[in-house]
Amino acid sequence: MNLLKLKQLATVSAVALGFAAFMPSTAWSAAFDMDDDTVTVNVTAAVDNTADFATTPVDFETIGVTSDAADTADLVMDPATGAITDDLGAGVGGPGEAHIVSDDDAGTAGTAALTNALPNSQVFVYYASPTNLTDGTAPDLTLEVINDDLATPGSFTSTGAVQVVGIGTTDVAGSLSWNIGGTISTVATAAPYETGAYTGSFEVQLTY
């Protein structure tokens, strides 16, 4: 689990304003003349622009992949449920033979949790810098789409680098959580996908 410290637009979180009433007080350290003396009053504020952010991986779990020199196939994970939609292609040996299939039609959606943030505040979520899934040998699996299940869903599509900003609102405790899914795809190649553990990544930026 990754734990990040975030910064947001500077916001005064507490203000203490102290002043003296125009009457004698033993708390004063100097004599006060009502006719012509002035008193300096300090104004203070404690600014805390940090929050905690934790994530878990998006895991497509065990899949089967067949490549084709002229065809690609997509595997789609629903961010809300982790359910996976297979791409069976047209079958090995025929046109459009590339396919990518989940062993059990379910993966594990990633999770994101923002805590200790400002309460009842809108949070804007951006996804960027996807890296393809690789086991160190060619070919890679393309991280085609990153998406979430925020109240206003956000996404990033690698083709054309299309960014859709996700929007959610923290609760009274300053917390907001959501799930992350996406789409991975094969590349058009005659080279086979080797058995192994494939890993990619992407970045998340939050502002509020």
Side-chain angles (χ1 to χ4, degrees), residues 131-143 193 196-201:
T131 62
N132 293 334
L133 285 67
T134 180
D135 70 341
T137 64
D140 295 347
L141 291 167
T142 303
L143 182 51
Y193 281 91
Y198 288 69
T199 303
S201 65

Side-chain angles (χ1 to χ4, degrees), residues 15-162:
V15 176
L17 175 62
F19 59 91
F22 291 107
M23 59 185 297
S25 172
T26 57
W28 292 12
S29 61
F32 180 74
D33 189 331
M34 292 290 290
D35 294 332
D36 54 15
D37 282 359
T38 60
V39 175
T40 299
V41 179
N42 294 327
V43 179
T44 63
V47 178
D48 183 0
N49 290 335
T50 61
D52 296 316
F53 185 50
T55 64
T56 62
V58 179
D59 188 359
F60 284 84
E61 301 186 8
T62 303
I63 61 175
V65 184
T66 298
S67 59
D68 182 75
D71 184 43
T72 62
D74 299 330
L75 196 66
V76 181
M77 180 191 293
D78 185 305
T81 65
I84 287 180
T85 302
D86 297 329
D87 187 342
L88 300 176
V92 176
E97 68 181 32
H99 63 271
I100 183 168
V101 181
S102 167
D103 267 13
D104 56 8
D105 292 329
T108 302
T111 62
L114 178 67
T115 55
N116 300 318
L118 294 178
N120 305 312
S121 299
Q122 276 196 325
V123 179
F124 301 89
V125 181
Y126 304 80
Y127 302 103
S129 305
T131 62
N132 293 334
L133 285 67
T134 180
D135 70 341
T137 64
D140 295 347
L141 291 167
T142 303
L143 182 51
E144 185 66 28
V145 177
I146 306 155
N147 58 0
D148 62 39
D149 64 351
L150 282 162
T152 300
S155 64
F156 184 88
T157 303
S158 297
T159 304
V162 179

